[in-house]
Amino acid sequence: MVTPTGYTGVSRKSHLVFDACFESGNLGRVDCISEFEFDLFIRPDTCNPRFRVWFNFTVENVQETQRVIFNIVNFSKTKSLYRDGMSPVVKSTSRPKWQRLPAKNVYYYRCPDHRRNYVMSFAFCFDREDDVYQFAYCYPYTYTRLQHYLDSLERRNLDYLQREQLGLSVQQRRLDLLTITSPAQQNPEKQKKLVVLTARVHPGESPASFICQGVIDFLVSQHPVAVILRDHVIFKIVPMLNPDGVYLGNYRCSLMGFDLNRHWQEPSPWVHPTLHAVKQLIVQLSQDTKVGLEFYIDVHAHSTMMNGFMYGNVFEEEERVQRQAVFPRLLCQNAPDFSFSNTSFNRDVVKAGTGRRFLGGLLDDMSYCYTLEVSFYSYMAAGSTAPVPYTEDTYMNLGRNVARTFLDYYKHNNFIDDKKPQTTNPINSTEVLSQGQQGNGIGNEKTSGGERGAERKNLGLKDKTTRHQAAPQHTGNTSPV
């Protein structure tokens, strides 16, 4: 409980109670500046004081119509999408769906009271005394939520889905591996292709989990594209590579303070057990002559750029450079929020220990390694100068579009027969999610209106997007001060 300076009486309504002692919570300290203004300090990642970005906390004991200003005062990053209109998300016990605060109530500036460090301030009006309000940097996706989701998938007993425990984290949390593929090949003479996808190596990048769930939801559905893909491709998915960091509310590091995405070259089975297990798996798969490992995609979220985009590697052979650009170009045609113009190929020295860079040098020249990034905030819709904020639903929709793009890729490369059923109709999310998802409270989203259906074979087309649905209206709990 935070009481005004000098107050000695009995606590009362409006003396705010802050809490972050829950899964994925993060709040280190609260200073009361006045009865309506509070300075909030992010707790650094465990064993690593460098990273202070993710926050997730609750507030209760509020008074109806109480108006406050919260200042997040110790961000470790200076560049931020808060400069471009990003805002925190909020929910309450009576309104459990996350919403973004109105951008007009959020300010990002250098503050002379905090050594000219960057501060993000937001104004808020509490409107229901009995509610507990929760604020977060972005939509949380916890380790427990993932376990409930995977349990619900496992209960469906799908013959083309296998869940296994690939290993355990330092704190003994599960490292899950999903294998999605049809048990019988349509054409035994043809080698099955292999796609490996990982997410949440950086625990505060929660949009990566929504994208990953969108990929899984689509691949296990009865959509015609998903059925074809399962017949020709093996998908290996590690949905949460850093479960301890996610559980603890870290932004970038593991329990022991390591940025796991800088340790792919020599991961320790004791210090980086989850990374070590995934690396061993990929090395083993790359040596299996029965399958062709063609894709490794690591899913992240980006704190300073908009849209979805990819990072790829740099090669000497021009043909390989061109081949590497095919998948992002095709994804650009399917996903209205994916930008090929933001996609780049590099070999930065500081990125040498990342999964994309390390595996790009380890695997053969027919394998492609990408980092898939998505904005923490928004994307630009065609014909509009205003950014469209991402929602949980649109993050998942990007995942579905990533999955369907594999069919376009393999048809383009003549691995999948072009005479297969046409896939020009937009993906219907009701169809994708109807297989046993009802009632679990997870992933029940609507398909965004801008999704494209036509497969284009002109890979030289420029990046295009389509107009997307408007952002949802906010309820009364985001009234301006």
Side-chain angles (χ1 to χ4, degrees):
M1 177 174 288
V2 180
T3 56
T5 303
Y7 184 86
T8 58
V10 178
S11 62
R12 54 182 172 80
K13 281 283 188 183
S14 80
H15 291 172
L16 302 184
V17 175
F18 293 83
D19 184 21
C21 294
F22 52 85
E23 185 176 359
S24 292
N26 186 313
L27 183 64
R29 190 178 100 212
V30 180
D31 290 350
C32 180
I33 306 304
S34 69
E35 60 181 339
F36 57 84
E37 185 174 5
F38 301 84
D39 282 354
L40 311 183
F41 293 79
I42 298 169
R43 171 187 54 76
D45 283 9
T46 53
C47 301
N48 194 323
R50 287 183 56 201
F51 301 106
R52 301 176 308 278
V53 176
W54 173 261
F55 59 85
N56 183 11
F57 61 91
T58 62
V59 180
E60 55 187 306
N61 199 45
V62 306
Q63 189 173 38
E64 188 174 350
T65 72
Q66 182 177 357
R67 300 166 186 267
V68 297
I69 296 175
F70 291 143
N71 308 310
I72 310 288
V73 301
N74 67 331
F75 281 115
S76 58
K77 284 190 171 186
T78 55
K79 293 182 179 179
S80 174
L81 284 165
Y82 288 122
R83 298 176 303 181
D84 303 309
M86 179 174 162
S87 60
V89 295
V90 62
K91 71 175 183 177
S92 67
T93 45
S94 66
R95 287 151 295 186
K97 184 174 176 61
W98 287 101
Q99 303 176 64
R100 288 191 184 273
L101 292 171
K104 64 183 180 181
N105 293 358
V106 180
Y107 312 90
Y108 189 68
Y109 55 98
R110 281 187 181 272
C111 181
D113 294 336
H114 293 280
R115 296 181 296 178
R116 291 191 57 77
N117 289 334
Y118 277 92
V119 170
M120 186 272 290
S121 298
F122 63 94
F124 193 82
C125 179
F126 297 105
D127 61 346
R128 299 184 186 180
E129 287 193 355
D130 295 330
D131 270 16
V132 177
Y133 294 82
Q134 185 172 351
F135 302 90
Y137 180 82
C138 193
Y139 311 106
Y141 195 112
T142 64
Y143 170 78
T144 297
R145 173 172 179 168
L146 174 69
Q147 292 305 306
H148 288 323
Y149 171 66
L150 297 182
D151 289 344
S152 71
L153 286 179
E154 204 169 22
R155 286 193 296 269
R156 290 160 62 182
N157 294 318
L158 303 171
D159 65 351
Y160 47 80
L161 171 68
Q162 178 186 357
R163 177 191 183 189
E164 57 189 297
Q165 181 178 293
L166 187 59
L168 292 170
S169 68
V170 174
Q171 290 188 315
Q172 303 299 293
R173 295 188 179 91
R174 287 179 60 102
L175 175 67
D176 282 288
L177 171 67
L178 297 183
T179 302
I180 304 172
T181 192
S182 297
Q185 290 183 234
Q186 280 192 340
N187 186 351
E189 287 82 29
K190 266 193 174 179
Q191 180 192 54
K192 269 199 175 183
K193 302 299 184 182
L194 178 63
V195 173
V196 178
L197 186 144
T198 60
R200 293 302 285 279
V201 68
H202 291 150
E205 296 175 5
S206 57
S209 283
F210 293 102
I211 291 175
C212 191
Q213 182 175 323
V215 171
I216 297 167
D217 281 341
F218 182 76
L219 292 176
V220 300
S221 74
Q222 292 305 309
H223 193 282
V225 173
V227 174
I228 296 170
L229 285 172
R230 292 196 299 265
D231 286 339
H232 292 81
V233 184
I234 301 170
F235 292 91
K236 298 274 187 180
I237 300 175
V238 179
M240 192 169 283
L241 226 168
N242 189 352
D244 288 349
V246 172
Y247 189 90
L248 293 167
N250 288 350
Y251 175 66
R252 196 172 182 91
C253 295
S254 65
L255 166 74
M256 301 178 75
F258 291 100
D259 180 347
L260 296 183
N261 205 35
R262 295 296 183 272
H263 291 274
W264 277 89
Q265 291 165 318
E266 293 292 339
S268 162
W270 177 67
V271 180
H272 326 103
T274 56
L275 190 64
H276 183 266
V278 172
K279 178 182 173 181
Q280 280 193 317
L281 171 71
I282 295 175
V283 170
Q284 178 184 345
L285 292 171
S286 69
Q287 298 168 351
D288 188 347
T289 58
K290 298 178 183 177
V291 296
L293 201 170
E294 288 209 336
F295 285 94
Y296 170 73
I297 299 177
D298 191 24
V299 189
H300 289 252
H302 207 282
S303 63
T304 62
M305 294 181 67
M306 296 188 186
N307 294 78
F309 58 96
M310 278 181 156
Y311 292 125
N313 294 315
V314 174
F315 303 108
E316 301 299 331
E317 306 86 356
E318 180 62 24
E319 181 187 359
R320 193 176 181 190
V321 171
Q322 295 299 323
R323 280 191 276 117
Q324 184 184 216
V326 171
F327 187 86
R329 286 186 183 276
L330 290 170
L331 178 55
C332 181
Q333 303 310 314
N334 283 335
D337 55 326
F338 184 85
S339 170
F340 185 77
S341 61
N342 285 350
T343 295
S344 64
F345 306 93
N346 62 66
R347 55 163 61 133
D348 295 347
V349 175
V350 295
K351 302 291 181 68
T354 65
R356 167 180 64 88
R357 284 290 309 278
F358 173 75
L359 294 172
L362 175 72
L363 304 177
D364 63 35
D365 60 3
M366 295 306 294
S367 301
Y368 308 102
C369 299
Y370 304 95
T371 300
L372 172 61
E373 297 273 4
V374 66
S375 175
F376 270 112
Y377 171 39
S378 68
Y379 61 94
M380 296 298 294
S384 173
T385 57
V388 180
Y390 272 108
T391 65
E392 296 178 43
D393 301 347
T394 49
Y395 281 133
M396 290 192 194
N397 204 54
L398 177 56
R400 290 194 289 269
N401 284 322
V402 169
R404 69 183 293 202
T405 300
F406 286 106
L407 180 65
D408 300 341
Y409 178 84
Y410 285 119
K411 283 174 66 174
H412 173 76
N413 287 282
N414 299 317
F415 178 74
I416 293 179
D417 190 347
D418 222 9
K419 296 179 182 178
K420 295 290 181 183
Q422 294 299 307
T423 60
T424 55
N425 294 326
I427 293 174
N428 185 318
S429 63
T430 304
E431 178 183 358
V432 169
L433 298 172
S434 63
Q435 306 296 315
Q437 296 258 0
Q438 294 87 347
N440 64 7
I442 298 172
N444 298 321
E445 67 270 12
K446 298 177 181 178
T447 300
S448 61
E451 190 172 353
R452 300 183 186 184
E455 279 88 16
R456 298 170 181 261
K457 291 199 174 180
N458 181 359
L459 302 182
L461 289 177
K462 293 183 179 179
D463 181 21
K464 296 181 181 180
T465 55
T466 56
R467 186 177 299 277
H468 217 284
Q469 60 192 25
Q473 296 296 311
H474 296 280
T475 55
N477 68 334
T478 54
S479 303
V481 170

